């Protein structure tokens, strides 16, 4: 996709390539990389740099046991890329909502059992939890046509990856592949158009805080939305 406007930071990508991200954040990054050739190129560059740095680092000789294990791995016949892709297509998993079917990101293809049932949220929105380790909460969020979430800010960090359709707020319109990071500095009112729905994957590390109208009455119960 060539029109992706919102990407992870260089620091986040560096942590990803070094294996320093928690599992939930790694899932979000992997799903974005599947859609974003620009960030895949950035990751390739970071990996090459890290490999060069490792090559210059003195290392202890490998033991005979480790050498044998490495030889076994290297001699293992690899599946041709075309065959692997055909296999992936044959076993593609999907998620269904509102009588529509969406393909799951590759990183979640074999983890359908970790996706919970859909539940309703205010504003014509549905949510399905994704079980992950750690404190942060991952969810699929489906915004039907002409839906909206009340104006809110964030008590922590929220990452949103648009998978299909689009939504907008006061700042921009977000399309498939966009990787949007919101912090306590941000305040917005996400919504969809009358003719456009949207499916997102989100990661929250703290509840939302509603900032306008009757929605502020929900703040004492914000933990109910953080699950």
């Amino acid at each position: 996709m060539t029109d992706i406007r919102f990407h992870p930071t260089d620091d986040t990508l560096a942590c990803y390539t070094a294996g320093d991200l928690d599992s939930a954040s790694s899932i979000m990054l992997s799903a974005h990389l599947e859609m974003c050739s620009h960030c895949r190129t950035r990751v390739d560059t970071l990996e090459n740099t890290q490999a060069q740095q490792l090559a210059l680092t003195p290392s202890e000789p490998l033991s005979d046991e480790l050498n044998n294990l490495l030889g076994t791995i290297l001699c293992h016949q690899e599946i041709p890329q075309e065959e692997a892709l055909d296999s992936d297509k044959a076993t593609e998993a999907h998620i269904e909502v509102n009588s529509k079917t969406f393909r799951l990101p590759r990183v979640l293809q074999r983890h359908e059992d970790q996706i919970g049932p859909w539940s309703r949220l205010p504003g014509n929105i549905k949510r399905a939890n994704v079980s992950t380790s750690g404190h942060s909460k991952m969810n699929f969020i489906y915004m039907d046509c002409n839906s909206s979430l009340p104006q809110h800010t964030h008590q922590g960090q929220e990452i949103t990856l648009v998978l299909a359709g689009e939504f907008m707020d006061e700042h921009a319109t977000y399309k498939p592949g966009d990787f949007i990071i919101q912090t306590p500095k941000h305040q917005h009112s996400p919504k969809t158009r009358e003719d456009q729905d949207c499916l997102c994957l989100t990661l929250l590390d703290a509840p939302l805080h509603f900032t306008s109208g009757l929605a502020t009455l929900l703040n004492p119960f914000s933990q109910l939305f953080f699950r």
Side-chain angles (χ1 to χ4, degrees):
M1 296 185 182
T2 59
D3 58 348
I4 297 174
R5 296 174 53 203
F6 300 90
H7 305 271
T9 65
D10 287 336
D11 286 344
T12 300
L13 289 175
C15 288
Y16 174 81
T17 58
D20 292 336
L21 288 182
D22 60 271
S23 60
S25 297
S26 292
I27 289 172
M28 297 292 294
L29 257 295
S30 295
H32 171 72
L33 290 172
E34 181 181 344
M35 306 175 76
C36 183
S37 59
H38 171 71
C39 284
R40 290 199 300 272
T41 299
R42 294 165 69 195
V43 166
D44 287 344
T45 300
L46 288 167
E47 288 177 339
N48 288 334
T49 299
Q50 291 174 0
Q52 291 171 7
Q53 292 172 344
L54 285 173
L56 296 175
T57 303
S59 58
E60 295 294 329
L62 295 178
S63 66
D64 291 339
E65 181 179 357
L66 192 54
N67 264 320
N68 292 336
L69 177 60
L70 183 59
T72 301
I73 294 172
L74 293 176
C75 289
H76 185 73
Q77 183 176 359
E78 293 185 358
I79 300 175
Q81 186 175 8
E82 294 80 4
E83 183 179 338
L85 290 174
D86 290 341
S87 176
D88 286 344
K89 291 179 181 178
T91 59
E92 274 189 355
H94 297 78
I95 188 169
E96 296 184 5
V97 58
N98 207 38
S99 301
K100 293 187 175 183
T101 300
F102 300 93
R103 177 186 172 278
L104 285 174
R106 188 178 295 121
V107 69
L108 292 174
Q109 279 285 315
R110 298 185 180 182
H111 302 283
E112 289 178 277
D113 57 336
Q114 301 301 312
I115 302 173
W118 289 100
S119 59
R120 292 186 178 274
L121 294 176
N124 206 19
I125 295 171
K126 294 181 179 179
R127 172 181 63 189
N129 175 257
V130 182
S131 297
T132 59
S133 60
H135 172 71
S136 297
K137 306 299 181 183
M138 181 177 292
N139 290 281
F140 283 101
I141 298 293
Y142 176 76
M143 303 178 70
D144 203 351
C145 298
N146 198 30
S147 65
S148 62
L149 192 62
Q151 186 182 76
H152 62 272
T153 185
H154 305 82
Q155 299 182 48
Q157 178 176 266
E158 177 188 59
I159 300 174
T160 301
L161 173 64
V162 181
L163 298 175
E166 63 182 55
F167 77 94
M168 64 193 71
D169 62 14
E170 297 88 335
H171 312 292
T173 296
Y174 308 99
K175 300 183 178 183
D178 279 336
F179 189 93
I180 308 113
I181 301 174
Q182 302 281 348
T183 69
K185 297 179 181 179
H186 300 103
Q187 181 171 282
H188 67 155
S189 307
K191 61 182 180 180
T192 55
R193 301 195 314 264
E194 292 184 0
D195 60 345
Q196 179 67 73
D197 59 357
C198 187
L199 178 69
C200 297
L201 185 64
T202 66
L203 187 65
L204 272 173
D205 61 14
L208 305 180
H209 181 77
F210 296 102
T211 54
S212 67
L214 293 176
T216 57
L217 299 176
L218 296 173
N219 285 326
F221 311 100
S222 60
Q223 281 294 137
L224 297 176
F225 298 90
F226 183 60
R227 62 183 178 86

